[in-house]
């Protein structure tokens, strides 16, 4: 049984950039929303009010895009529609484990990861994976628990809201960049309202299931999914925080 919706008392939303620019910003609050964003992997069942979701999406849509194409499309999954998709994809995920040859039927629509891993990216990937599994007590050869943890993706980590984001296939690679900025906006404004998110490329392999379920056309490309809701702060998995490289590792000053 779902918990009752939280009471909303939101101030008027200002979407005019010129008017909004005149309002004083507290840089520490903006920074806190960015720095406190992390991929949460356990959520409470409390619903997110429709009015708040609409507000988040409206603010996120102020993201820049090349020649203002605004290529993103967003499908919001809740309730039975969300649950039905989770069951379908989890069943396919289990079927692939039982018969790995089936993986050929579930190809991601674009290469999110490289075909060949090299350092330092491979090192960071390994550190991320074993850091998470270590926190959960999942050993290197424990394939059953690895499978179960990976499948948590396909239940949106129990978040009450699942998002699927697409673009039209006719668009170029730059639209993926534009959509990434929209997603970042969404995650940051969600934090500003006390919510958490988890962007999920794991769903991409199951686009052939997802697109018809959400009513998307064959001309759309699934960019990613996202879990959104109120974090379960007592869940051990939510203590996992990924490190970041120091500036000297990725910044070059050219003068």
């Amino acid at each position: 049984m779902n918990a009752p919706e939280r009471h909303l008392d939101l101030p008027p939303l200002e979407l005019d950039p010129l008017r909004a620019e005149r309002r004083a910003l507290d840089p520490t609050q903006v920074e806190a929303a960015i720095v406190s964003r992390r991929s949460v992997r356990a959520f409470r069942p409390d619903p997110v009010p429709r009015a708040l979701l609409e507000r988040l999406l409206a603010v996120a849509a102020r993201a820049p895009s090349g020649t203002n194409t605004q290529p993103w499309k967003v499908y919001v999954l809740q309730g039975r529609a969300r649950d039905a998709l989770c069951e379908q994809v989890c069943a396919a995920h289990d079927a692939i484990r039982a018969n790995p040859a089936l993986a050929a039927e579930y190809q991601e629509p674009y290469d999110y990861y490289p075909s060949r891993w090299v350092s330092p990216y491979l090192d960071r990937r390994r550190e991320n994976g074993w850091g998470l599994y270590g926190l959960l007590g999942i050993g290197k050869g424990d394939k059953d628990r690895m499978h179960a943890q990976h499948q948590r993706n396909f239940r949106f980590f129990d978040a009450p809201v699942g998002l699927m984001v697409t673009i039209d296939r006719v668009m170029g690679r730059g639209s993926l960049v534009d959509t990434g900025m929209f997603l970042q906006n969404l995650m940051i404004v969600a934090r500003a309202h006390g919510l958490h998110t988890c962007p999920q490329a794991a769903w991409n392999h199951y686009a052939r299931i997802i697109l018809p379920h959400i009513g998307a056309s064959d001309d759309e490309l699934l960019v990613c999914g996202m879990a959104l809701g109120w974090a379960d702060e007592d869940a051990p998995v939510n203590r996992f925080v990924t490190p970041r490289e120091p500036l000297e590792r990725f910044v070059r000053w050219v003068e």
Side-chain angles (χ1 to χ4, degrees), residues 149-218:
Q149 178 59 33
H150 187 65
Q151 192 165 99
R152 294 275 296 144
N153 277 282
F154 308 129
R155 297 194 182 279
F156 294 106
F157 300 108
D158 298 328
V161 180
L163 306 173
M164 290 295 165
V165 180
T166 73
I167 61 174
D168 285 333
R169 290 181 180 275
V170 72
M171 301 303 287
R173 293 182 184 179
S175 289
L176 289 172
V177 177
D178 297 340
T179 303
M181 290 188 279
F182 167 83
L183 291 165
Q184 179 72 358
N185 266 7
L186 180 57
M187 290 185 281
I188 297 309
V189 72
R191 282 302 303 127
H193 286 274
L195 292 152
H196 272 286
T197 55
C198 185
Q200 301 169 275
W203 290 97
N204 292 5
H205 287 278
Y206 300 97
R208 59 176 289 188
I209 296 174
I210 295 165
L211 294 180
H213 182 85
I214 61 178
S217 76
D218 292 338

Side-chain angles (χ1 to χ4, degrees), residues 119-121 123-124 244-252:
S119 288
Y121 313 110
D123 308 319
R124 294 171 187 163
R244 289 296 183 269
E245 294 292 313
L247 293 187
E248 57 267 24
R249 294 288 295 274
F250 66 91
V251 176
R252 296 291 180 270

Side-chain angles (χ1 to χ4, degrees), residues 11-178:
L13 177 59
E14 178 57 79
L15 286 176
D16 183 323
L18 297 180
R19 290 185 180 180
E21 191 174 352
R22 299 189 191 106
R23 298 173 60 181
L25 291 177
D26 182 341
T28 61
Q29 290 185 355
V30 177
E31 292 168 357
I34 294 171
V35 173
S36 67
R37 186 221 61 81
R38 64 189 194 278
S39 292
V40 161
R41 294 177 174 87
F43 291 84
R44 300 201 308 269
D46 308 47
V48 180
R50 171 73 173 264
L52 179 52
L53 288 172
E54 291 178 348
R55 188 183 184 97
L56 301 181
L57 292 165
V59 172
R62 290 303 313 174
S65 59
T67 63
N68 200 33
T69 51
Q70 304 176 63
W72 46 80
K73 297 181 181 181
V74 183
Y75 298 84
V76 184
L77 289 143
Q78 297 173 282
R80 286 178 293 181
R82 171 204 171 281
D83 296 346
L85 179 63
C86 291
E87 292 305 321
Q88 290 180 60
V89 174
C90 283
H93 185 236
D94 285 337
I96 291 172
R97 188 188 184 200
N99 180 9
L102 292 175
E105 300 179 16
Y106 297 97
Q107 298 297 314
E108 58 185 348
Y110 67 98
D111 294 333
Y112 186 88
Y113 292 113
S115 58
R116 183 175 67 89
W117 287 94
V118 299
S119 288
Y121 313 110
L122 177 60
D123 308 319
R124 294 171 187 163
R125 177 180 172 88
R126 285 173 172 167
E127 179 186 30
N128 183 75
W130 294 121
L132 175 61
Y133 284 166
L135 179 64
L136 296 173
I138 300 175
K140 191 171 184 179
D142 194 343
K143 294 183 179 180
D144 289 342
R145 292 188 65 193
M146 286 182 184
H147 178 80
Q149 178 59 33
H150 187 65
Q151 192 165 99
R152 294 275 296 144
N153 277 282
F154 308 129
R155 297 194 182 279
F156 294 106
F157 300 108
D158 298 328
V161 180
L163 306 173
M164 290 295 165
V165 180
T166 73
I167 61 174
D168 285 333
R169 290 181 180 275
V170 72
M171 301 303 287
R173 293 182 184 179
S175 289
L176 289 172
V177 177
D178 297 340

